Amino acid sequence: MRNFNIDFLRILFAFYIVYAHMGLLKMVPETICGPLLLFFFGITGYFTMASYEKRKANGQTMGQFLIAKIMTFLPYLIVAAIVTFVLMTILQMDYYHYTLSESILSSLLTFFADVSCMDMFDMPLVMGNVAVWYLSGMILGLAVTYPLITRYGHSFSKYAAPIIGIICIAVSLRLSGTLFGPYTDFGGVTKGMVESVGMICIGYFSYECAVNLKKIKFTNFGKILLTVIELGCYVLAW
């Protein structure tokens, strides 16, 4: 069953992120993009956990799940990388006065970093496009966390996932002071990778919280209070 509240937030946040990256939205600082992107990692973890039992019952292996997820994200990643390659090749000749061959070589390095997901690791000459990192971060975030779900199931999502999530986000904030900007080096991996793993884990835990909340029979006052909290979350998210 679709959750229209989440679908609405997806559309709203996606449009905001696109406009902010284009420099068209000046009413709110562009640094808001960082927290909004974390929302997408979180709901991926939530829905991954929500469908876990069904995949398990159908006999889907960890490898089958990860390959299916990669094939879902990869076409978007390739298209975004191609667009980046073309634009970088053109703009670098104008802005940096590169020759055509220099610009193509530089753009190819970025293309490789994006498509191979190597932009999530701090390596010499491997720097991805700051507007594309989310896709490679999502692929690698699931590749790191889903094997733990496969091995430990709900025990991981209930107990270990929230701890890992909080630690990852706390480390990101402590070392960089912001949730904006994915390419800060955190000792071999980028900040974007750390935040991806953290928020996907929080998404796993959020699903477990939602399941337990559904088991509780709330009074009318409790329902009203939860609605107020939900509306407050929307305001804070905006």
Side-chain angles (χ1 to χ4, degrees):
M1 181 179 293
R2 297 191 67 86
N3 187 313
F4 292 102
N5 289 353
I6 291 179
D7 286 340
F8 170 74
L9 290 177
R10 277 174 166 169
I11 295 171
L12 179 65
F13 291 173
F15 274 115
Y16 179 89
I17 289 167
V18 170
Y19 282 129
H21 276 91
M22 294 172 66
L24 299 177
L25 215 69
K26 298 302 182 184
M27 295 182 297
V28 183
E30 291 185 6
T31 51
I32 298 298
C33 284
L36 294 190
L37 276 171
L38 299 189
F39 165 82
F40 289 96
F41 290 125
I43 59 173
T44 294
Y46 179 95
F47 286 119
T48 297
M49 202 66 223
S51 58
Y52 167 70
E53 290 296 343
K54 182 178 180 180
R55 291 192 303 273
K56 184 178 178 181
N58 291 338
Q60 186 184 51
T61 65
M62 176 185 70
Q64 289 171 332
F65 169 78
L66 291 176
I67 289 173
K69 277 296 182 182
I70 289 171
M71 295 310 297
T72 298
F73 291 115
L74 196 57
Y76 298 102
L77 183 57
I78 291 174
V79 170
I82 291 173
V83 171
T84 299
F85 172 80
V86 173
L87 292 177
M88 279 188 66
T89 300
I90 296 171
L91 294 175
Q92 286 180 145
M93 288 189 294
D94 179 56
Y95 189 80
Y96 295 114
H97 304 293
Y98 284 2
T99 64
L100 178 60
S101 59
E102 289 173 336
S103 189
I104 289 175
L105 178 59
S106 175
S107 300
L108 278 175
L109 289 173
T110 300
F111 179 87
F112 167 76
D114 290 336
V115 173
S116 66
C117 299
M118 297 302 291
D119 59 335
M120 291 292 96
F121 302 94
D122 185 50
M123 301 175 64
L125 301 178
V126 178
M127 175 64 76
N129 179 0
V130 72
V132 177
W133 74 271
Y134 158 79
L135 293 168
S136 55
M138 185 70 77
I139 290 172
L140 292 179
L142 285 171
V144 169
T145 61
Y146 191 73
L148 297 171
I149 291 293
T150 302
R151 182 173 178 83
Y152 301 107
H154 293 285
S155 295
F156 174 78
S157 58
K158 287 179 182 178
Y159 306 114
I163 297 173
I164 293 172
I166 291 171
I167 289 174
C168 286
I169 299 304
V171 166
S172 178
L173 286 171
R174 180 68 180 84
L175 295 182
S176 66
T178 177
L179 295 176
F180 183 72
Y183 289 132
T184 302
D185 173 31
F186 281 0
V189 298
T190 63
K191 176 181 165 184
M193 178 70 176
V194 173
E195 291 178 352
S196 169
V197 170
M199 282 307 299
I200 289 174
C201 283
I202 288 175
Y204 293 151
F205 178 66
S206 297
Y207 170 75
E208 300 293 348
C209 292
V211 168
N212 284 289
L213 281 173
K214 288 180 180 179
K215 296 178 181 178
I216 301 174
K217 293 183 178 180
F218 290 98
T219 63
N220 289 334
F221 173 76
K223 292 177 181 178
I224 293 172
L225 181 61
L226 284 176
T227 301
V228 171
I229 293 173
E230 180 182 5
L231 293 173
C233 289
Y234 292 153
V235 172
L236 290 173
W238 176 256

